[in-house]
Amino acid sequence: MDILDDDGDGDSLLPIAAGAATATGAALACLSCGATLAGAYCHDCGQKNDDLRRSSLRLARDFVEDTFAFDSRMWRTLALMAAKPGVVPTDYAHGRRSRYTPPVRLFLVVSFLFFLTLGLTETMFVAMEVREATLKETAIAEKTAKAANISVGVDADNEENGLDCNITAGLRFFVRPKDLALDSDAWRRCYTDVEKTVAEAIIAPDEDGEAIPEPEAEKTLGFVSGVLAGISGAIENPKAFNADINTWLPRVMFVMTPVLALILALFIRGRNALMFDHLVLSLYTHAVGFAVIGVAIIAVQLGLRAAFPVALLAFAVYFMLALKRAYGRGWVKTIWTGVMSGLLYMMILISIVLTIVVKTLVA
């Protein structure tokens, strides 16, 4: 006869059965192999004596608690990672695991908190800032354009010559919309003039008097117009632009964990430097990276503008210390490995992010 709890979902069946068995001196048998149990886990096959049958609500609650609960192990793991870089991944990879939060779980929790911080602080991953150029910036741009034989700016004698693009633009990362400078009028003038100039250049005949066939010209014009419209949309509505990027960014960062492990394997080999060791170090290191940048985002909100450079420098030092302690190599090899692996990692990450940005612009 089944023993049910008050709500009839059967959640307390095993605990009651276990209590009854203890009271009568009987021993429970493993649900998997049938071996006699002397605790919560089977000494023969290692399975926990629980059939995991739960109500849907209980399963959802247990999943959230198991994944995101900040228990004593997580606090111990975070504290030791901050105090002694490299100790936690080394201990975990060599079997001393019970005292630490597993790397995948810590990565998921910290990355979830990181993206939650982005949302709560209305911080965008990347945005383009556009404003009217100063006289000094205009002079530099005209000098550069002249050297490249490009006409920039409005000709005083003939306003139809040259581009009315007296603007300066640049990318900013982890910025709030209200902190972004955008001169809409200057950008609109530049956008309209560029679109017109490009269209005239496409349909204009070349030196031999030959023009691009009309079907190809229309196709090229459509592509250019789409790109320009995408860029304009990203500039004028950075929130919508970042919404598309934020869809892919968590997936990209999860994929980058094995990428860093593979990069480390190129420089560090040996009995104590297996791919498993690299992957564990990579997961813990990414968790630290999320935490450091997340703290920097909050610090910027509080008015500490130098928080990001300081955070990046602190993380670079942390990575070097983690490599040194995890693999026990000399400082020269550690610094060489840290610099080269960091450069390769950033090249791959930037390439992936740029690909996503470009696809978002031309979509």
Side-chain angles (χ1 to χ4, degrees):
M1 176 177 133
D2 291 343
I3 304 175
L4 302 177
D5 58 353
D6 293 338
D7 59 7
D9 63 1
D11 287 352
S12 59
L13 173 61
L14 284 173
I16 293 176
T22 302
T24 59
L28 289 175
C30 175
L31 298 173
S32 178
C33 66
T36 301
L37 294 179
Y41 294 87
C42 176
H43 68 279
D44 197 10
C45 68
Q47 176 177 287
K48 186 176 181 179
N49 198 41
D50 189 346
D51 61 6
L52 299 180
R53 297 179 71 248
R54 304 283 192 273
S55 65
S56 299
L57 183 61
R58 178 70 178 273
L59 283 174
R61 188 185 72 185
D62 289 347
F63 173 78
V64 173
E65 289 178 351
D66 291 343
T67 304
F68 298 108
F70 276 76
D71 54 16
S72 59
R73 285 197 309 167
M74 184 165 290
W75 290 118
R76 185 187 305 116
T77 302
L78 292 172
L80 191 56
M81 287 174 64
K84 295 182 178 181
V87 168
V88 173
T90 301
D91 281 355
Y92 191 90
H94 287 81
R96 296 180 288 274
R97 301 172 190 167
S98 61
R99 68 188 76 173
Y100 303 124
T101 300
V104 174
R105 178 183 171 189
L106 188 67
F107 174 88
L108 292 175
V109 171
V110 178
S111 62
F112 171 80
L113 294 176
F114 171 78
F115 288 105
L116 180 63
T117 301
L118 285 182
L120 293 178
T121 59
E122 295 185 345
T123 301
M124 299 180 297
F125 173 71
V126 61
M128 184 173 289
E129 191 171 57
V130 177
R131 57 179 173 79
E132 191 166 358
T134 62
L135 293 176
K136 183 178 180 180
E137 291 170 338
T138 302
I140 294 174
E142 289 178 349
K143 185 177 180 181
T144 304
K146 186 177 180 181
N149 196 26
I150 300 174
S151 178
V152 177
V154 179
D155 193 327
D157 299 326
N158 185 358
E159 293 188 356
E160 293 183 356
N161 294 330
L163 292 175
D164 187 8
C165 277
N166 189 30
I167 62 173
T168 180
L171 291 177
R172 291 189 61 184
F173 294 88
F174 299 111
V175 61
R176 293 178 298 178
K178 66 179 183 179
D179 298 328
L180 204 60
L182 174 59
D183 190 330
S184 300
D185 293 336
W187 164 247
R188 273 293 162 187
R189 289 196 305 269
C190 180
Y191 169 71
T192 303
D193 213 20
V194 168
E195 189 175 38
K196 177 182 175 182
T197 303
V198 171
E200 291 175 349
I202 291 174
I203 63 177
D206 57 19
E207 296 178 355
D208 298 330
E210 297 181 359
I212 301 177
E214 186 173 344
E216 293 184 14
E218 290 181 356
K219 184 177 180 180
T220 305
L221 279 172
F223 175 77
V224 172
S225 296
V227 172
L228 290 175
I231 295 173
S232 182
I235 292 174
E236 297 180 351
N237 192 359
K239 280 189 174 181
F241 174 67
N242 275 266
D244 295 330
I245 294 178
N246 290 340
T247 301
W248 286 99
L249 195 58
R251 308 173 193 178
V252 170
M253 295 312 302
F254 187 79
V255 171
M256 290 304 295
T257 56
V259 169
L260 179 58
L262 290 171
I263 292 174
L264 290 175
L266 295 176
F267 298 95
I268 307 175
R269 300 184 184 89
R271 187 174 59 183
N272 293 321
L274 303 177
M275 183 57 66
F276 178 75
D277 301 288
H278 300 321
L279 187 57
V280 170
L281 179 67
S282 177
L283 285 164
Y284 279 124
T285 301
H286 276 82
V288 172
F290 279 125
V292 170
I293 297 177
V295 171
I297 290 173
I298 297 174
V300 170
Q301 304 287 325
L302 299 176
L304 302 176
R305 295 184 176 273
F308 273 114
V310 172
L312 293 176
L313 178 61
F315 180 70
V317 173
Y318 180 93
F319 184 52
M320 296 293 182
L321 293 174
L323 289 178
K324 178 71 170 64
R325 188 171 278 121
Y327 300 108
R329 309 176 92 203
W331 276 112
V332 174
K333 289 184 177 180
T334 297
I335 294 174
W336 164 257
T337 300
V339 171
M340 294 305 298
S341 60
L343 288 175
L344 282 174
Y345 178 90
M346 291 306 300
M347 288 173 59
I348 296 172
L349 178 60
I350 291 173
S351 299
I352 295 175
V353 171
L354 286 178
T355 300
I356 294 173
V357 169
V358 171
K359 286 191 173 183
T360 303
L361 290 175
V362 300

